């Protein structure tokens, strides 16, 4: 983890060019309302696939620069929720407001999505993978890579720039995938079980790394996970979803002492208490969905 | 956490070309011995030495120009097939309408027997280059279209969604994700087509031509010049193999990343 500095903020794209490109690519004007600083807000959001409601009447709010963790059993519509927020998908009912953007295209312009699998392009080096969003915005290959190169050291990836994804370990690949998401320069990061594919030890390392990175570079984050510890470590607030249909079962504000290491933090009474609270809510949520007549 | 360095193998060395060369020599020797021991007449089955003789004796008078004519047909026809195949595949990929309107006809085009269409083309276009090019292109473009189309639609949907959140437009996703993903599959189609190309050219020449390896064979068979026929076959095979090797070499350069251990960093 050495070599990462936390002081200076990262701005991956040269400002003038990116703003110009964004002005062209961003149809935000249509859906932009007042209140740029209100973060993400979901009101009464329902999404059905056929007769089955994936999520039902979900209300969520994430203040700007804060991180919301969503936990729930599989099939509770966690990924659906991210698709809806990002603008890739539209709700059947309810309103989604992402930093003032209501329409799907406008939301899409503000969100970057990091999926569970790294989905790195196998023919591109780590550097070229991380730079792909800049190339999508019209920057030349050379300029895009030059802009991203300095970030590698800061993201604990020094030396990995020129390796192909298959030459990197799972943990490194996931870091490159996060860097790629980050480089897009969006205000909102949507992380869909970002470390779900990693083994427990690598995942712990990656969580600590992401926590430190987001402390240094705050973004508005919605993190979806089935790992309660991950939710508590990375989220300022944890929302528990119950399954079938996905709906909010509990909200837990995370207020943890500023302890140094992950191990120490996990051992504090506050953390143990919160974990129990979330686990209890999960237990309740899953037993509720088994009740007869609910489906 | 330490990245592994890239490995490089001598893919073009002795390990690759040694075994097939040994097989070739073994077959030639066995063949030569068999014809000598069994006393097979040259016009029934010529010995490899007789074929080599014919190859050298008839090179200047007949085979050189015939090879050149057929090579032109194969290469030009193949190039047309690649261009048309890629164009059609992309059109079908981008437009659902084009796909539903054209795909049945593409399959239909492959049900027309070459044996029948070759003479018809010869009637229409005479002994010129055109009917051969049409035949080669007709036979070669189909595997390219199917393989490319398959490759283009093999892209993970999650990857497309993610790219859209990273400013990916329809075009940039095609260029940066779909096309590279389709390359290995595209090359499978190209290699299949490369194997068909020379057969198609010979078919065209059989149906009406004044030069070319097919023409040479057509003339030599009734005259029982079997050694010359075999020499022509040898040249034709060499042409196919050369085209195949060329395509494979291009594949190694372009999609080395898909083959474990063969590529290095870019």
């Amino acid at each position: 983890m050495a070599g990462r500095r936390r002081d200076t903020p990262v701005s991956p794209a040269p400002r003038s060019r990116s703003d110009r490109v964004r002005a062209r690519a961003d149809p935000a004007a249509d859906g932009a309302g007042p209140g740029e600083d209100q973060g993400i807000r979901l009101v009464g959001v329902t999404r059905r696939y056929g007769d089955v409601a994936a999520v039902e009447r979900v209300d969520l709010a994430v203040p700007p620069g804060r991180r919301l963790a969503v936990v729930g059993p599989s099939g509770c519509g966690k990924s659906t929720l991210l698709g809806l927020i990002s603008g890739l998908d539209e709700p059947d009912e309810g309103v989604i407001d992402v930093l003032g953007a209501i329409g799907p295209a406008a939301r899409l312009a503000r969100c970057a999505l990091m999926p569970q699998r790294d989905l790195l392009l196998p023919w591109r080096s780590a550097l070229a993978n991380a730079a792909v969003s800049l190339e999508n915005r019209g920057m030349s290959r050379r300029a895009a890579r030059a802009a991203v190169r300095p970030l590698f050291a800061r993201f604990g990836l020094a030396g990995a720039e020129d390796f192909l994804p298959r030459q990197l370990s799972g943990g490194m690949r996931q870091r490159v995938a996060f860097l790629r998401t980050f480089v897009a320069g969006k205000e909102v990061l949507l992380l869909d079980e970002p470390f779900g594919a990693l083994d427990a030890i690598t995942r712990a390392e990656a969580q600590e790394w992401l926590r430190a990175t987001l402390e240094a570079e705050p973004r508005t984050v919605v993190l979806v996970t089935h790992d309660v510890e991950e939710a508590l470590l990375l989220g300022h607030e944890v929302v528990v979803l119950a399954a079938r249909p996905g709906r909010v079962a509990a909200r837990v504000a995370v207020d943890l002492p500023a302890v140094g290491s992950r191990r120490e933090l996990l051992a504090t009474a506050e953390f143990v208490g919160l974990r129990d609270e979330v686990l209890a809510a999960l237990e309740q949520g899953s037993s509720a969905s088994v009740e007869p007549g609910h489906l | 956490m330490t990245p592994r360095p890239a490995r490089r193998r001598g893919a073009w060395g002795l390990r690759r070309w040694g075994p097939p060369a040994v097989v070739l020599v073994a077959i030639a020797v066995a063949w030569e011995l068999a014809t000598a021991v069994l006393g097979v007449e040259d016009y029934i089955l010529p010995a490899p030495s007789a074929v080599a003789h014919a190859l050298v004796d008839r090179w200047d008078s007949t085979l050189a120009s015939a090879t050149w004519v057929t090579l032109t047909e194969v290469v030009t026809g193949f190039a047309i097939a690649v261009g048309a195949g890629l164009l059609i595949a992309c059109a079908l990929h981008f437009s659902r309408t084009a796909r539903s309107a054209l795909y049945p006809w593409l399959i239909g085009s492959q049900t027309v027997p070459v044996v029948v269409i070759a003479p018809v083309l010869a009637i229409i276009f005479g002994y010129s280059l055109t009917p051969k090019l049409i035949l080669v292109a007709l036979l070669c473009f189909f595997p390219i279209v199917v393989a490319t189309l398959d490759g283009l639609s093999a892209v993970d949907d999650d990857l497309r969604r993610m790219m859209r959140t990273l400013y990916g437009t329809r075009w940039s996703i095609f260029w940066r994700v779909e096309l590279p993903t389709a390359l290995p599959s595209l090359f499978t189609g190209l290699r299949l087509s490369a194997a068909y190309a020379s057969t198609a050219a010979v078919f065209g020449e059989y149906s009406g031509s004044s030069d070319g390896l097919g023409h040479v064979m057509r003339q030599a068979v009734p005259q029982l010049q079997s050694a010359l026929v075999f020499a022509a076959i040898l040249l034709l095979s060499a042409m196919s193999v050369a085209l195949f090797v060329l395509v494979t070499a291009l594949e190694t350069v372009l999609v080395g990343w898909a083959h474990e251990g063969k590529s290095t960093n870019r």
Side-chain angles (χ1 to χ4, degrees), chain A residues 6-287:
Chain A
R6 299 186 180 191
D7 41 10
T8 39
V10 177
S11 65
R15 238 23 195 155
S16 59
R17 167 126 201 185
S18 66
D19 283 349
R20 186 151 46 82
V21 175
R22 173 161 337 164
R24 176 158 51 78
D26 185 350
D30 62 283
E36 271 287 314
D37 294 325
Q38 61 196 0
I40 303 172
R41 218 155 36 83
L42 278 71
V43 183
V45 167
T46 299
R47 178 76 174 98
R48 291 186 202 87
Y49 294 105
D51 290 338
V52 183
V55 292
E56 195 172 66
R57 292 192 302 278
V58 168
D59 300 317
L60 290 178
V62 192
R66 304 289 281 177
R67 304 191 293 269
L68 173 74
V70 179
V71 286
S74 22
C76 72
K78 291 175 299 204
S79 298
T80 304
L81 212 51
L82 292 190
L84 288 169
I85 296 171
S86 69
L88 289 168
D89 195 8
E90 270 288 88
D92 293 308
E93 285 163 31
V95 177
I96 303 173
D97 179 333
V98 178
L99 313 175
I102 310 287
R107 297 207 304 275
L108 194 59
R110 285 166 170 74
C111 297
L113 181 70
M114 178 185 175
Q116 175 179 355
R117 290 168 299 142
D118 57 69
L119 294 176
L120 295 173
L121 302 173
W123 54 87
R124 282 180 170 243
S125 66
L127 184 65
N129 262 294
V132 76
S133 69
L134 300 183
E135 286 182 44
N136 282 346
R137 289 162 88 176
M139 208 184 269
S140 75
R141 274 172 176 237
R142 184 191 295 267
R145 286 167 204 197
V148 173
R149 195 176 278 280
L151 298 178
F152 267 67
R154 200 172 300 178
F155 279 70
L157 282 162
E161 290 90 341
D162 295 325
F163 282 92
L164 292 175
R166 65 174 160 76
Q167 296 169 318
L168 299 172
S169 67
M172 294 283 262
R173 279 206 299 274
Q174 220 56 31
R175 288 188 193 193
V176 175
F178 179 78
L179 179 56
R180 172 183 61 189
T181 317
F182 186 86
V183 164
K186 305 274 186 110
E187 297 95 324
V188 175
L189 303 184
L190 305 172
L191 313 180
D192 191 353
E193 300 188 28
F195 306 127
L198 300 180
D199 63 88
I201 296 170
T202 312
R203 189 193 300 184
E205 224 173 276
Q207 285 164 357
E208 202 159 4
W209 170 82
L210 182 59
R211 192 173 134 91
T213 303
L214 285 172
E215 288 296 331
E217 305 287 343
R219 292 287 184 280
T220 308
V221 175
V222 179
L223 164 84
V224 149
T225 178
H226 52 243
D227 179 337
V228 174
E229 282 177 7
E230 184 168 287
L232 290 170
L233 281 168
L234 294 172
H236 293 116
E237 189 191 5
V238 175
V239 160
V240 179
L241 287 190
R244 280 177 270 277
R247 63 199 188 286
V248 177
R251 295 167 204 273
V252 178
V254 181
D255 192 16
L256 290 170
V259 186
S261 81
R262 176 193 146 91
R263 186 182 58 82
E264 288 166 318
L265 192 61
L266 257 58
T268 58
E270 289 90 339
F271 192 94
V272 173
L274 285 171
R275 181 169 53 193
D276 190 58
E277 201 177 333
V278 174
L279 286 172
L282 275 171
E283 213 171 79
Q284 246 172 10
S286 61
S287 65

Side-chain angles (χ1 to χ4, degrees), chain B residues 190-211:
Chain B
L190 285 182
R191 275 183 280 134
L192 278 173
S193 293
Y196 290 156
S198 55
T199 313
V202 167
F203 251 123
E205 289 169 357
Y206 251 71
S207 303
S209 60
S210 49
D211 204 351

